[in-house]
Amino acid sequence: VVAPSSTLKPLLGREFFMTKNASKLLIKDTSTNTYLIMYRANHPHFGDAIDLPGGTVEAGETAVQATIREVIEEAQIDTSHYDYEQLYDGTKYSRFLTRYTLYTAQVQQQPEVTLSWEHKAYAWLPKDEIVKQCRASNDKFMYMVADQLEKML
């Protein structure tokens, strides 16, 4: 998708950039009423802030396919058999029209997590603590996560 931008240099007399699609998964452990969160490892823009497993949707992938691939890459959790529920899909939170997609899935016990180089730690936290940490982040995706969690019962 190509969209105009006033913040980037002109290309052929017009200003354009390619929009990005990002998709992440909020995994809830129903036995403890907690959610899996991760902490970044020195991200150039977001430092060590809170994150969720997921990432960029590559060409030819659906958001669900990308999320399954990214969760395996980042946490070594195969979520292909999980029941995904979409909580959000849109560009409202992004300055550059990045399409954010957020899914949730429930598990009855916490899966084993093995972190990739992208994250330095993980935790299973209650909703209120995640909302608090998301609000302190400068990542607009995580701000959207906080809004979606607050809408949930």
Side-chain angles (χ1 to χ4, degrees):
V1 176
V2 178
S5 169
S6 61
T7 61
L8 300 177
K9 295 185 179 194
L11 176 65
L12 300 175
R14 296 187 65 187
E15 297 176 357
F16 290 96
F17 70 97
M18 298 297 291
T19 61
K20 176 180 171 181
N21 296 329
S23 181
K24 299 191 180 206
L25 180 62
L26 188 60
I27 302 172
K28 180 180 183 179
D29 175 6
T30 58
S31 70
T32 61
N33 204 28
T34 57
Y35 297 84
L36 174 64
I37 59 94
M38 302 165 87
Y39 294 97
R40 293 182 167 102
N42 283 333
H43 189 278
H45 300 291
F46 306 122
D48 298 336
I50 190 171
D51 194 18
L52 295 176
T56 301
V57 179
E58 302 292 342
E61 284 183 316
T62 66
V64 169
Q65 290 168 333
T67 305
I68 291 168
R69 175 184 52 76
E70 288 279 353
V71 174
I72 290 171
E73 289 174 8
E74 295 179 2
Q76 294 298 301
I77 302 171
D78 180 2
T79 62
S80 61
H81 60 284
Y82 287 16
D83 290 326
Y84 276 58
E85 177 186 344
Q86 186 175 329
L87 296 180
Y88 179 83
D89 182 53
T91 60
K92 172 184 167 187
Y93 292 85
S94 175
R95 241 177 66 191
F96 299 107
L97 298 178
T98 298
R99 178 174 215 90
Y100 294 153
T101 306
L102 176 63
Y103 295 101
T104 188
Q106 297 185 3
V107 295
Q108 294 180 358
Q109 69 178 35
Q110 297 171 0
E112 184 177 332
V113 177
T114 303
L115 296 174
S116 74
W117 61 271
E118 294 181 66
H119 297 94
K120 66 177 185 174
Y122 73 92
W124 292 87
L125 298 177
K127 179 174 77 168
D128 292 343
E129 180 60 27
I130 295 171
V131 168
K132 180 178 152 186
Q133 290 186 36
C134 286
R135 295 279 184 229
S137 173
N138 66 348
D139 180 350
K140 297 299 184 192
F141 194 110
M142 297 312 294
Y143 197 86
M144 176 272 293
V145 170
D147 283 352
Q148 299 311 307
L149 279 169
E150 287 179 334
K151 290 179 184 178
M152 296 170 65
L153 295 177

